[in-house]
Amino acid sequence: MLTIGTLAKRTGTKVQTIRYYEQIGLMPEPGRTAGGQRRYGHTELDRLAFIRHARQLGFPLEAIRELLDLADHPGQSCSNADSIAQRQLKQVADRIARLEALQTELQRMICDCAGGTVAECRVLEVLRDHSECLTNHDEIGA
């Protein structure tokens, strides 16, 4: 059996995050010692590692909840898991498109700056007036 500190170290998850996952039902309530200390087994270690990896891949907590439910019922079709992963892939692609637009705009701003005085600074001009931007980057990936 593992303490919450050991579980945290093994998974790279903060203790307060583990408690939060317990509060919202992603992690089950742990067993406790006679002194009231939390104790975790390998099942909880595996579940927390799953949650942590899903978070690293950018899955929102609700999607992780759905994935855990599927994992808890292994007889189901994996088409639901595929669908959840496809949703996440779409969100990642949208974010990448937005970041690429931001990169393009920032590169253009920097290249257009002649290095003169602040009064003539292209970077500051573009930041003051959104219409100077070539892309509507606030809507890309939204």
Side-chain angles (χ1 to χ4, degrees), residues 98-141:
R98 184 168 190 277
L99 289 170
E100 286 174 342
L102 293 173
Q103 179 183 29
T104 298
E105 195 61 48
L106 288 166
Q107 286 172 334
R108 187 181 71 81
M109 285 170 42
I110 293 165
C111 286
D112 288 353
C113 189
T117 66
V118 169
E120 302 163 336
C121 182
R122 184 70 181 144
V123 171
L124 297 176
E125 286 176 25
V126 173
L127 290 174
R128 274 190 211 100
D129 186 358
H130 197 291
S131 68
E132 295 282 332
C133 292
L134 295 179
T135 60
N136 193 3
H137 41 267
D138 58 337
E139 293 181 9
I140 297 171

Side-chain angles (χ1 to χ4, degrees), residues 4-5 7 13-30 32 38 40 48:
I4 195 168
L7 182 67
T13 307
K14 294 180 179 178
V15 168
Q16 61 192 115
T17 302
I18 296 170
R19 289 184 182 134
Y20 174 69
Y21 290 160
E22 290 170 3
Q23 288 173 352
I24 65 170
L26 287 181
M27 289 289 292
E29 275 294 316
R32 295 193 181 254
R38 291 172 162 89
Y40 302 89
L48 185 56

Side-chain angles (χ1 to χ4, degrees), residues 23-136:
Q23 288 173 352
I24 65 170
L26 287 181
M27 289 289 292
E29 275 294 316
R32 295 193 181 254
T33 65
Q37 290 185 330
R38 291 172 162 89
R39 291 290 187 243
Y40 302 89
H42 289 291
T43 301
E44 291 84 10
L45 177 66
D46 289 344
R47 188 174 185 94
L48 185 56
F50 180 101
I51 294 167
R52 176 118 167 102
H53 190 204
R55 291 297 288 155
Q56 289 170 337
L57 291 171
F59 283 96
L61 293 176
E62 195 50 46
I64 294 171
R65 186 181 309 280
E66 293 175 59
L67 291 165
L68 285 168
D69 185 57
L70 290 170
D72 289 342
H73 301 93
Q76 296 183 60
S77 165
C78 75
S79 64
N80 290 333
D82 290 344
S83 175
I84 295 165
Q86 287 291 336
R87 258 190 346 238
Q88 181 60 19
L89 179 59
K90 169 88 171 80
Q91 290 175 355
V92 167
D94 289 348
R95 273 188 246 136
I96 289 171
R98 184 168 190 277
L99 289 170
E100 286 174 342
L102 293 173
Q103 179 183 29
T104 298
E105 195 61 48
L106 288 166
Q107 286 172 334
R108 187 181 71 81
M109 285 170 42
I110 293 165
C111 286
D112 288 353
C113 189
T117 66
V118 169
E120 302 163 336
C121 182
R122 184 70 181 144
V123 171
L124 297 176
E125 286 176 25
V126 173
L127 290 174
R128 274 190 211 100
D129 186 358
H130 197 291
S131 68
E132 295 282 332
C133 292
L134 295 179
T135 60
N136 193 3

